[in-house]
């Protein structure tokens, strides 16, 4: 948990550069870098230009700046500013601003005289990829847009969906060295200001030298950072983020990250795919139930196998007994080893598949799944019953829409297996109790993580384990404690609907 | 650092003591059927245990069985004795059948039953039966069957419990052994050429076999004992010298007490007429005729059966238990002295509800 | 007077009383109470269950009256009535009682696990893990404890469904004729029955943790009615399933009933049932443990965390003294009797004293 005292913020503002007072002091340090350019232009060679070649858009500059300055006869920055067709140009002598802007793709223009004033011209080189399809949270139906690494594009994608002046963006900068831009996006009047304050306070209290991705922030500001469960939802779908904002949640957009964080969130939301809203409610509900069943199955099936085969032969029905015994007849290992070996194999395959390019990854999947699996059974190293169960469990764990949660689910079963080996079914129930307690103790922005299951809020069940039709989704979820509680005036819309009939 | 190491050592110690004995499914000897006989010479029980043998795939070695036998004075001892012959650890948790030899059944089975009841590993939904002759010979015979021997006996009794004989698992047997105003009964298995079949129902007085009723009386007994569904009854119509079969019989049974000394067991049955070649039911009169004939026949058979029970002073129909629920001043002693003299009238009401598909 | 007020983030809504009380009441008792009451009142003992339900409902109302509008807990009331030192002694005894209950509930269930699952299991490590679990739950605060009880409620409800087997295979005439046992026996069976209703005394401890406590009375009463009906249902199911001689021979009739239930994937339900019921046991034990720590915490003002670790060590070491089933039974009987006295004698007495004392004090104030 990162909740540092306010004094940290003040400490951070003290820059450790005491001897740099003017632009001229800054120059020697910057010139050590080979991509830092220093040109002198103008008819009287009185204009100095400084920039980082790697940060600016050369084409733009060559045409509109160098061409004009080549023979310019000016000796005043204000005149020059008016002469040049750049909108965001500014004149300053603040050394901190100059340093920062130079490093974010501005060009510094200065006259060779003793004036400390510097004209800063924007010429940022945009090297971001195009907006493309979501890859992790792919959906068959609905919009196919995903966030990219650029902060402004991402906020643009959200604003496109919520055309509202009340959509506020609060900008912060975090990271001692990386100085990463972070924006907190929320709808004023819907989102609870307390939540906004908590997030703002926690983010500004973050003290770390680098913030490379939103997941850094997620791990640092979540309520219990020791938990394997993600307590902030991360998504790459702009539609999901926009919908969360309208529900009164708060989004955290981090520059350089294609994943946007949503808070507060609950456990059940991690098992809801945004595609659920594109399907009719019966089908969506069925899918959600299947997903939750898959999670339970995925966590429990291998431990159950270990427990039953190691201790509880009593509960195996007569019809199944023959199948189980004959499949295990020639296996030299006890069930626990057998299960661990197979589980590790599956994890290896997944890890190898994830690290390799897509095409090779697929091949690895086929080789691993079919060749190794069959060979292991033929060689008498694993039983084919367990092979089926573990393959199903792995498959089931991939149905979780949020990848991060899927990882947690997959690793969760290992402690279960160990407890199952120790005390059989009782061991499994003990680990279930530990899990429930852990989930009960978790919070997301101080809101209970298990809501609406516990504390029981029947009204929030409308969009939890099942998704009810839009006509009953009249109120925003209680979990966000929104200022404006209702989406629509249900009484009015219902009256209207009645009239239509 | 020092304390962390201390904790680690402590946890390791605890982990080591935390281990419990494993019973890995393929490394145990699963006893699925137990047969018991009485050895009068040595005055001991003789136990025969059957455990299934599964091949590499279930289809390969069908119906393989291992048999072990041993003699001892108690149930637990027999298990321990069998352990000396089995390569794996003997486990009785999957027991699905208990068979008693005829001689043991006549001597009384309660010692063995109480021994079984005390083992928490053993279930209650297992079949108990008596074997004509010795249980050991029945279990040691090689049969040519699709299932393993234990499963065969289980399926045999289970399926017959649906149609021919009333259901009687270990719990029901316990219920009748301990309860007042009731006596248990068990199916009797007989070894035929290369198979096993149900030969009779053995009526018991307390825990001793005293009487057997043959297949012909199964239906009447079941009719008087409980509600039944989907039965078939072959009816010899002596007056018209014809045999008809009545199938899909459903019946409901109820006990009506006229007074403390007089009771009517009422069975309302309905069924379909099949195998009625040269005897179609054409009009109401014929329908009533056949209904009455069947009812009369069943009532006669029922009366005969009940008379026999009263003669032997056994109460498998649980009439005593019913009386206990009916009369406030019911006592066991009074009941037992009165039982043989009570007037028990079976009353059967047969209703033909469908005719055949062939006219 | 300055009353104890817990942190708002630990308080729960009054509606959850339904689950808390139900979870504290249903423990190991539901597996064996039928035998105990039937041994006194025969198969008319189900009437005793209803009578006990009525009596406990009255006690609940009395507890509500004692606590009053100011939402005081047991500590405040004791000090208000008996002064500082005597009040503290009483609270201390009460805390010890709660701690003993929480440990004995665990240990007696471990006995079942040993019989059914692992006769050779080392109880030390097992109990150690359980205490880690209990501390983990209790340190989450009252909200977590209640959350656990909330989930355990569904477990017991789910398990109650499985008594259906008894109705399918039972004999209804076992229950007839009604009122055949002397009325005196039915009254006598109230005592063993009320062991299974223990748990409402905890209200005195967690009362300040309930929002709008006074409005919770209806939930508390419905919880008690729910418990009564669960017990009634359970007892009738088992009375139909067993006859009155047979039930006396069986230590845990419910577990024997589960032996008969089977599904296509689970042959013997009792193994799953014992495991599931374990969740309910942990919930009961946890609530008691939390309440006892709360008692001691209020008495001494040491940190809750340290206290719970200290008392769990005491609970854990108790296993070195309680090592056979006779001892467990003896302590269980003793502690249940203490609970019944507490419930039906001490609490009404406390109410009367409270009335008198507050009347006197009011008079003094007026003068």
């Amino acid at each position: 948990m990162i909740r540092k005292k306010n004094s940290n913020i003040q400490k951070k503002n003290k820059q450790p550069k005491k001897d740099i007072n003017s632009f001229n002091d800054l120059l020697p340090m910057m010139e050590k870098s080979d991509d830092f350019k220093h040109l002198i232009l103008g008819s009287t060679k009185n204009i100095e230009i400084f920039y980082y070649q790697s940060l600016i858009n050369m084409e733009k500059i060559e045409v509109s700046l160098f061409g004009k300055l080549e023979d310019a006869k000016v000796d005043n920055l204000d005149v020059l500013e008016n002469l040049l067709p750049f909108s965001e140009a500014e004149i300053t002598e603040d050394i901190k601003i100059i340093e920062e802007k130079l490093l974010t793709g501005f060009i510094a223009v200065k006259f060779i005289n003793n004036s400390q004033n510097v004209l800063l011209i924007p010429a940022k080189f945009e090297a971001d990829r195009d907006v493309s399809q979501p890859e992790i949270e792919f959906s068959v139906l609905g919009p196919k847009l995903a966030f990219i690494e650029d902060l402004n594009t991402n906020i643009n994608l959200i604003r496109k969906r919520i055309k509202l002046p009340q959509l506020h963006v609060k900008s912060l900068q975090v990271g001692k060295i990386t100085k990463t831009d972070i924006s907190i996006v929320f709808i004023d009047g819907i989102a609870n200001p307390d939540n906004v304050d908590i997030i703002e306070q926690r983010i500004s209290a973050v003290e770390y030298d680098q913030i490379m991705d939103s997941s850094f922030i997620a791990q640092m500001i979540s309520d219990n950072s020791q938990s394997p469960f993600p307590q902030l939802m991360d998504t790459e779908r702009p539609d999901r983020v926009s919908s969360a904002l309208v529900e009164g949640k708060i989004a955290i957009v981090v520059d350089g990250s294609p994943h946007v964080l949503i808070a507060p969130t609950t456990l059940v939301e991690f098992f809801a795919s945004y595609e659920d809203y594109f399907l009719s409610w019966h089908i969506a509900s069925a899918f959600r139930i299947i997903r939750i069943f898959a999670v339970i199955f995925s966590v429990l099936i291998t431990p159950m196998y270990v427990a039953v085969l190691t201790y509880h032969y009593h509960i195996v029905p007569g019809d199944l007994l023959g199948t189980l015994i004959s499949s295990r007849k020639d296996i030299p290992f006890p069930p626990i080893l057998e299960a661990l070996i197979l589980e590790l194999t599956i994890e290896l395959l997944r890890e190898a598949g994830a690290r390799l390019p897509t095409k090779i990854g697929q091949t690895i999947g086929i080789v691993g799944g079919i060749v190794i699996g069959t060979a292991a059974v033929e060689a008498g190293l694993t039983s084919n019953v367990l092979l089926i169960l573990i393959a199903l469990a792995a498959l089931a764990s991939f149905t979780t829409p949020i990848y991060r949660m899927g990882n947690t689910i997959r690793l969760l079963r290992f402690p279960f297996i160990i407890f199952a080996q120790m005390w059989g079914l009782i061991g499994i129930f003990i680990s279930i109790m530990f899990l429930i307690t852990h989930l009960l103790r978790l919070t997301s922005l101080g809101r209970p993580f298990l809501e609406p299951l516990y504390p029981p809020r029947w009204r929030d069940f409308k969009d939890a384990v099942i998704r009810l039709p839009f006509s009953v989704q009249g109120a925003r979820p209680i979990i966000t404690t929104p200022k404006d509680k209702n989406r629509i005036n249900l009484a009015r819309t219902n009256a209207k609907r009645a009239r239509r009939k | 650092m020092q304390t962390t190491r201390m904790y680690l050592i402590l946890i390791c110690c605890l982990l080591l003591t935390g281990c419990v004995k494993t019973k890995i499914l393929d490394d145990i000897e699963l006893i699925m059927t137990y047969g018991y006989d009485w050895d009068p010479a040595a005055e001991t029980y003789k136990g025969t245990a059957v455990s299934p043998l599964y091949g590499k795939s279930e289809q390969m070695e069908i119906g393989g069985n291992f048999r072990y036998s041993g003699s001892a004075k108690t149930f637990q001892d027999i298990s321990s004795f069998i352990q000396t012959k089995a390569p794996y650890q003997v486990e009785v948790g999957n027991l699905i059948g208990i068979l008693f030899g005829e001689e043991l059944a006549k001597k009384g089975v309660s010692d063995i039953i109480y021994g079984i009841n005390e083992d928490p590993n053993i279930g209650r939904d297992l079949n108990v039966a008596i074997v004509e002759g010795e249980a050991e010979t029945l279990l040691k015979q090689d049969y040519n069957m699709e299932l393993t021997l234990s499963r065969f006996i289980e399926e045999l009794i289970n399926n017959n419990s649906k149609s021919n004989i009333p259901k009687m698992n270990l719990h029901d047997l316990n219920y009748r052994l301990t309860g007042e105003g009731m006596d248990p009964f068990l199916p009797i298995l007989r070894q035929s050429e290369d198979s096993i079949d149900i030969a009779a129902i053995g009526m018991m007085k307390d825990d001793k076999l005293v009487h057997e009723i043959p297949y012909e009386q199964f239906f009447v007994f079941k009719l008087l004992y409980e509600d039944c569904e989907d039965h078939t009854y072959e009816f010899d119509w002596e007056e018209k010298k014809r045999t008809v079969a009545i199938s899909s019989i459903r019946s409901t049974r109820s006990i009506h007490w006229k007074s403390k000394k007089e009771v009517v067991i009422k069975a309302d049955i309905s069924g379909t007429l099949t195998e009625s070649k040269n005897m179609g039911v054409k009009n109401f009169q014929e329908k009533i005729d056949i209904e009455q004939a069947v009812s009369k026949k069943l009532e006669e058979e029922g009366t005969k059966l009940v008379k026999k029970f009263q003669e032997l002073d056994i109460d498998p129909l649980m009439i005593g238990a019913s009386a206990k629920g009916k009369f406030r001043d019911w006592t066991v002693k009074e009941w037992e002295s009165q039982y043989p003299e009570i007037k028990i009238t079976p009353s059967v009401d047969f209703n033909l509800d469908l005719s055949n598909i062939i006219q | 007077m300055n009353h104890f007020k817990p942190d708002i983030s630990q308080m729960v809504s009054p509606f959850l009383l339904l689950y808390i009380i139900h979870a504290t009441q249903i423990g190991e008792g539901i597996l064996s109470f039928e035998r105990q009451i039937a041994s006194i009142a025969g198969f008319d003992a189900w009437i005793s269950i209803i009578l006990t339900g009525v009596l406990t409902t009255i006690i609940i109302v009395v507890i509500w009256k004692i606590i009053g509008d100011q939402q005081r807990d047991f500590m405040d009331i004791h000090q208000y009535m008996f002064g500082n030192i005597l009040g503290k002694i009483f609270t201390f005894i009460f805390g010890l009682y709660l701690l003993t209950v929480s440990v004995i509930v665990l240990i007696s269930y471990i006995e079942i696990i040993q019989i059914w699952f692992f006769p050779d299991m080392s109880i030390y490590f097992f109990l150690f893990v359980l205490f880690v679990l209990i501390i983990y739950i209790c340190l989450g605060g009252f909200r977590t404890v209640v959350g656990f009880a909330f989930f355990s409620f569904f477990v017991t409800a789910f398990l109650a469904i499985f008594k259906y087997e008894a109705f399918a295979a039972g004999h209804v005439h076992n229950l007839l004729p009604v009122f055949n046992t002397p009325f005196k026996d039915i009254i006598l069976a109230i005592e063993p029955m009320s062991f299974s209703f223990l748990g409402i005394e905890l209200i005195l401890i967690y009362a300040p943790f309930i929002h709008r406590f006074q409005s919770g009375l209806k939930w508390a009463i419905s919880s008690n009615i729910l418990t009564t009906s669960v017990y009634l249902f359970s007892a009738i199911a088992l009375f139909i399933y067993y006859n009155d001689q047979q039930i006396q021979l069986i230590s845990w009739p419910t577990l024997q009933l589960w032996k008969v239930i089977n599904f296509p994937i689970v042959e013997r339900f009792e193994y799953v049932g014992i495991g599931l019921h374990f969740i309910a046991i942990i919930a009961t034990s946890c609530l008691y443990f939390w309440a006892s720590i709360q008692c001691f915490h209020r008495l001494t003002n040491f940190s809750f965390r340290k206290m719970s670790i200290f008392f769990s060590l005491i609970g854990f070491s108790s296993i070195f003294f309680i090592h056979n089933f006779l001892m467990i039974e003896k302590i269980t009987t003793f502690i249940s009797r203490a609970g019944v006295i507490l419930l039906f004698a001490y609490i009404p007495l406390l109410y009367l004293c409270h009335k008198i004392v507050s009347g006197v004090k009011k008079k003094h104030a007026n003068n």
Side-chain angles (χ1 to χ4, degrees), chain A residues 484-500:
Chain A
D484 183 5
K485 287 195 169 47
N486 292 314
R487 292 171 201 266
I488 44 173
N489 185 346
L490 262 188
R492 190 176 58 83
T493 42
N494 284 344
K496 207 162 132 191
R497 198 172 302 130
R499 225 177 298 136
R500 214 186 306 152

Side-chain angles (χ1 to χ4, degrees), chain A residues 459-480:
Chain A
R459 264 179 48 206
D460 273 8
F461 263 104
K462 67 186 186 301
D463 189 11
V465 182
I466 50 167
R467 184 186 80 81
L468 293 180
F470 290 120
S471 57
V472 292
Q473 306 268 11
R476 299 206 162 88
I478 307 171
I479 182 74
T480 56

Side-chain angles (χ1 to χ4, degrees), chain A residues 6 16 29 35 41 199 209 227 255 258 279 293 320 348 361 391 414 471 489 497:
Chain A
N6 280 338
M29 192 167 74
D35 62 343
L41 296 173
I199 289 184
D209 56 348
S227 170
D255 193 26
L279 298 165
F293 172 76
L320 209 61
L348 280 181
F414 287 98
S471 57
N489 185 346
R497 198 172 302 130

Side-chain angles (χ1 to χ4, degrees), chain A residues 128-423:
Chain A
D128 269 314
R129 62 186 168 104
D130 289 334
V131 174
S132 65
Q133 284 208 347
E135 293 200 339
I136 302 169
E137 288 173 77
F138 183 79
S139 73
V140 181
L141 302 169
K144 294 191 178 45
L145 268 187
F147 288 120
I148 59 165
E149 283 78 3
D150 182 50
L151 179 88
N152 284 326
T153 319
N154 289 352
I155 292 176
N156 166 281
L157 286 173
I158 298 172
R159 267 209 194 276
K160 255 192 200 165
R161 282 170 179 75
I162 306 170
K163 300 177 191 72
L164 203 68
Q166 281 89 342
L167 182 76
H168 286 189
V169 177
K170 263 191 189 174
S171 289
L172 295 167
Q173 245 188 12
V174 181
K176 249 185 196 156
I177 289 179
T178 57
K179 304 242 183 322
T180 313
D181 286 316
I182 293 177
S183 296
I184 303 169
V185 186
F186 60 96
I187 299 181
D188 192 29
I190 296 178
N192 190 330
D194 291 346
N195 288 345
V196 181
D197 288 346
I198 293 173
I199 289 184
E200 198 181 344
Q201 187 253 319
R202 284 193 195 170
I203 289 181
S204 39
V206 164
E207 232 183 88
Y208 201 61
D209 56 348
Q210 50 169 337
I211 303 292
M212 290 300 173
D213 186 64
S214 59
S215 52
F216 281 59
I217 292 290
Q219 290 171 51
M220 286 168 190
I221 68 165
S222 55
D223 296 27
N224 179 357
S225 37
Q226 308 301 324
S227 170
F229 285 89
Q231 293 141 60
L232 296 164
M233 160 108 51
D234 61 335
T235 176
E236 52 168 6
R237 297 185 64 101
D239 44 1
R240 189 168 197 152
V241 174
S242 317
S243 146
L245 288 175
V246 177
E247 278 184 345
K249 290 176 186 164
I250 294 148
I252 304 166
V253 191
V254 177
D255 193 26
S257 165
H259 290 269
V260 173
L261 302 174
I262 303 172
T265 183
T266 60
L267 182 70
V268 282
E269 277 178 9
F270 284 93
F271 304 113
S273 153
Y274 200 68
E275 200 178 7
D276 292 349
Y277 298 95
F278 308 145
L279 298 165
S280 75
W281 69 273
H282 332 78
I283 295 164
S285 304
F287 284 174
R288 277 196 188 176
I289 290 167
I290 287 172
R291 254 178 248 133
I292 286 170
F293 172 76
V295 168
I296 295 170
F297 178 86
S298 170
V299 174
L300 289 183
I301 197 71
T302 333
M304 285 284 185
Y305 177 87
V306 173
V308 169
L309 265 77
T310 315
Y311 295 110
H312 309 300
Y313 66 92
H314 320 75
I315 71 168
V316 184
D319 291 323
L320 209 61
L321 208 58
T323 320
L324 278 179
I325 291 182
S326 40
S327 85
R328 256 196 67 82
K329 198 85 187 166
D330 296 328
I331 316 294
F333 309 120
I336 169 86
L337 269 185
E338 195 194 350
L340 282 180
I341 290 171
L342 263 187
E343 285 285 359
L344 281 177
T345 316
I346 292 266
E347 286 303 307
L348 280 181
L349 281 173
R350 187 196 53 78
E351 192 64 22
R355 299 286 154 263
L356 288 169
T358 328
K359 278 186 182 157
I360 306 176
Q362 279 172 0
T363 327
I364 287 287
I366 293 165
V367 169
I370 299 171
V371 180
I372 298 180
T374 324
V377 171
E378 298 256 301
L381 289 177
T382 55
S383 71
N384 38 22
V385 175
L386 182 65
L387 190 70
I388 296 167
L389 292 181
I390 288 197
L392 276 179
L395 197 64
S397 74
F398 286 110
T399 57
T400 311
I402 306 288
Y403 179 71
R404 206 175 287 277
M405 194 49 131
N407 283 341
T408 311
I409 299 290
R410 248 193 327 281
L411 290 178
L412 210 57
R413 69 173 78 119
F414 287 98
F416 274 70
I417 293 175
I418 290 164
F419 267 98
Q421 169 65 20
M422 266 170 20
W423 293 312

Side-chain angles (χ1 to χ4, degrees), chain A residues 308-319 321-331 333-335 377-378 380 421-424, chain B residues 15 18-28 30 32 52-58 88 90-94 120-122 151 154-155:
Chain A
V308 169
L309 265 77
T310 315
Y311 295 110
H312 309 300
Y313 66 92
H314 320 75
I315 71 168
V316 184
D319 291 323
L321 208 58
T323 320
L324 278 179
I325 291 182
S326 40
S327 85
R328 256 196 67 82
K329 198 85 187 166
D330 296 328
I331 316 294
F333 309 120
V377 171
E378 298 256 301
Q421 169 65 20
M422 266 170 20
W423 293 312
Chain B
L15 266 173
C19 295
V20 279
K21 197 167 83 184
T22 58
K23 298 167 184 169
I24 297 171
L25 187 64
D26 52 328
D27 293 343
I28 49 174
L30 283 174
M32 293 180 79
L53 168 72
Y54 293 106
K56 198 163 185 321
S57 76
E58 207 181 0
Y88 295 119
V90 169
E91 287 291 338
V92 291
N94 248 325
N121 279 316
I122 296 174
R151 298 267 293 138
E154 187 200 15
E155 292 296 319

Side-chain angles (χ1 to χ4, degrees), chain C residues 211-251:
Chain C
H211 283 296
R212 304 184 304 282
F213 179 73
Q214 283 304 318
S215 68
L217 182 61
K218 63 173 181 291
W219 292 114
I221 289 173
S222 16
S223 176
N224 204 44
I225 291 169
L226 186 74
T227 311
T228 315
S229 41
V230 166
Y231 281 139
L232 194 62
F233 174 72
S234 177
I236 286 177
L238 290 185
F239 289 168
I240 284 177
Y241 193 67
Y242 297 106
N243 59 50
D244 41 6
Q245 289 82 19
Q246 195 183 6
I247 204 167
Q248 293 308 323
L249 300 173
I250 301 169
S251 311

Side-chain angles (χ1 to χ4, degrees), chain C residues 294-363:
Chain C
Q294 176 69 17
C295 257
F296 295 129
H297 168 66
R298 294 265 288 112
L299 273 176
T300 55
N301 267 332
F302 283 133
S303 91
F304 195 88
R305 193 188 176 82
K306 279 180 192 148
M307 292 292 270
S308 54
I309 291 170
F310 175 69
F311 280 102
S312 66
L313 280 178
I314 288 184
F316 177 66
S317 52
S318 71
I319 196 68
F320 296 105
F321 307 106
I322 309 170
H323 34 56
N324 64 50
F325 70 98
L326 281 175
M327 211 151 168
I328 296 173
E329 212 171 286
K330 211 168 175 187
I331 296 173
T332 314
T333 328
F334 173 74
I335 209 77
S336 335
R337 199 147 289 163
V340 172
I341 292 169
L342 177 85
L343 213 59
F344 292 123
Y346 184 67
I347 287 175
L349 212 67
L350 195 70
Y351 174 63
L352 287 179
C353 293
H354 183 255
K355 268 264 173 247
I356 295 164
V357 170
S358 54
V360 169
K361 287 204 175 172
K362 210 176 260 172
K363 227 177 198 175

